[in-house]
Amino acid sequence: MIVLISIVVLFIGWLIWRYQQQKAIDAVPLPPTYPQLLEEHVAYYRSLSSDKKTLFENRVNHFLNHTKIEGVGTTVDDLDRVLVASSAIIPIFGFGDWSYPLTDVLLYEDRFNADYQTTGDGRNILGMVGEGGALQSTMVLSKPALRDGFANETSKGNTGIHEFVHLLDKADGATDGLPEYLLEKSHIKPWLQLIHENIRQIKDNHSDINPYGITNDAEFFAVVSEYFFKRPDLLQEKHPELFKRLEEIFRQHPPEPNSVDQQPA
């Protein structure tokens, strides 16, 4: 009995310590230069109202306080940290306080292969989410690809958003392009039909969606999500049904892109 009481006391003590540690971590403020970096480099943030910008900054800060970002063969500066965090927050900005099961993000100096090597053959990977073992809670991104996804504001692609959408997709246990918990039950079958219809159109050369989307349903979901957040105006014009379903999935109307920055695709 004494042993049991001791275990309970120790466990409660550990919970209190952990809670205090979490509070200390969450109390670390966002560096004062980061809002300006967001304003200069993240079009999504720039399009938000002032109160939502503050919320976005808080979400970015929470992500950075709980996720380690390290370079492999490259340095990591404040802009890299801001872009990784923005890639994470943009897809979940409509979900309140939802967090990723992620502890580390590794930035590589260039594209890499399946063995995470940046030299040799087969270096065509821009980003990857760890599926098991030592990389279970880790994401790997090409630093140049991460930066290009934000620098090229007229494109329909963003590698960082793509990989974080995979994590979001995986939250129900399967990376399959079907985030069941984000869709009304009656909309699940139509969503799958819409995916397969659009994959057929890509294969027939009748679509402007990135051809990488034909790889499988999960890649289609990630690719079209990039499109949704980068060029919502164009997606709504060319693929209104996809746009409508993605609004439902992400629980938000993405901000209109800055008309000064945008050029016809």
Side-chain angles (χ1 to χ4, degrees), residues 19-29 61-63 65-66:
Y19 173 72
Q20 292 173 335
Q21 288 290 104
Q22 290 296 110
K23 282 190 68 176
I25 291 171
D26 290 334
V28 177
N61 191 44
H62 182 270
F63 177 87
N65 286 342
H66 291 269

Side-chain angles (χ1 to χ4, degrees), residues 5-249:
I5 293 174
S6 299
I7 292 173
V8 170
V9 169
L10 286 172
F11 181 68
I12 293 173
W14 177 83
L15 288 177
I16 293 172
W17 174 83
R18 175 131 178 125
Y19 173 72
Q20 292 173 335
Q21 288 290 104
Q22 290 296 110
K23 282 190 68 176
I25 291 171
D26 290 334
V28 177
L30 188 71
T33 57
Y34 282 26
Q36 185 59 38
L37 288 173
L38 286 165
E39 189 72 32
E40 292 175 358
H41 298 279
V42 182
Y44 182 95
Y45 169 88
R46 197 161 56 240
S47 301
L48 297 173
S49 63
S50 58
D51 59 330
K52 287 191 175 180
K53 282 183 178 180
T54 299
L55 177 58
F56 193 91
E57 291 166 17
N58 291 339
R59 300 283 297 276
V60 161
N61 191 44
H62 182 270
F63 177 87
L64 291 174
N65 286 342
H66 291 269
T67 309
K68 186 187 300 182
I69 302 173
E70 297 180 294
V72 178
T74 187
T75 58
V76 174
D77 63 19
D78 286 347
L79 177 58
D80 298 318
R81 290 170 56 79
V82 163
L83 297 184
V84 170
S86 296
S87 301
I89 301 307
I90 287 171
I92 62 171
F93 195 51
F95 301 162
D97 294 329
W98 200 89
S99 298
Y100 296 97
L102 187 72
T103 58
D104 298 89
V105 175
L106 302 179
L107 292 185
Y108 274 49
E109 62 180 344
D110 202 346
R111 295 171 181 243
F112 50 93
N113 60 25
D115 295 320
Y116 304 99
Q117 297 173 335
T118 55
T119 59
D121 298 329
R123 295 183 296 109
N124 58 359
I125 301 175
L126 302 178
M128 185 180 293
V129 177
E131 292 293 336
L135 294 177
Q136 175 64 34
S137 300
T138 301
M139 178 182 292
V140 184
L141 294 170
S142 157
K143 177 175 171 176
L146 170 72
R147 290 199 170 199
D148 185 62
F150 287 93
N152 188 351
E153 294 182 3
T154 61
S155 77
K156 294 170 284 190
N158 183 295
T159 296
I161 290 175
H162 182 108
E163 295 305 323
F164 278 101
V165 167
H166 277 321
L167 269 185
L168 185 61
D169 184 13
K170 186 182 178 182
D172 61 4
T175 310
D176 56 5
L178 179 59
E180 295 185 50
Y181 59 101
L182 299 177
L183 280 166
E184 292 183 18
K185 190 172 182 180
S186 62
H187 291 174
I188 290 176
K189 185 175 180 181
W191 169 244
L192 289 173
Q193 292 172 335
L194 193 58
I195 288 178
H196 299 154
E197 174 188 338
N198 277 273
I199 286 177
R200 283 195 295 273
Q201 290 175 5
I202 297 171
K203 289 179 177 178
D204 291 339
N205 248 350
H206 295 150
S207 178
D208 67 330
I209 296 172
N210 186 341
Y212 189 63
I214 70 174
T215 305
N216 53 48
D217 292 2
E219 295 300 346
F220 179 86
F221 177 42
V223 161
V224 80
S225 296
E226 298 175 68
Y227 195 158
F228 176 75
F229 288 111
K230 284 294 297 290
R231 293 299 307 272
D233 56 327
L234 196 61
L235 183 68
Q236 186 173 28
E237 174 190 339
K238 295 196 173 187
H239 309 276
E241 189 59 28
L242 270 175
F243 180 84
K244 180 180 176 181
R245 290 294 177 223
L246 289 168
E247 276 191 319
E248 176 188 353
I249 289 171

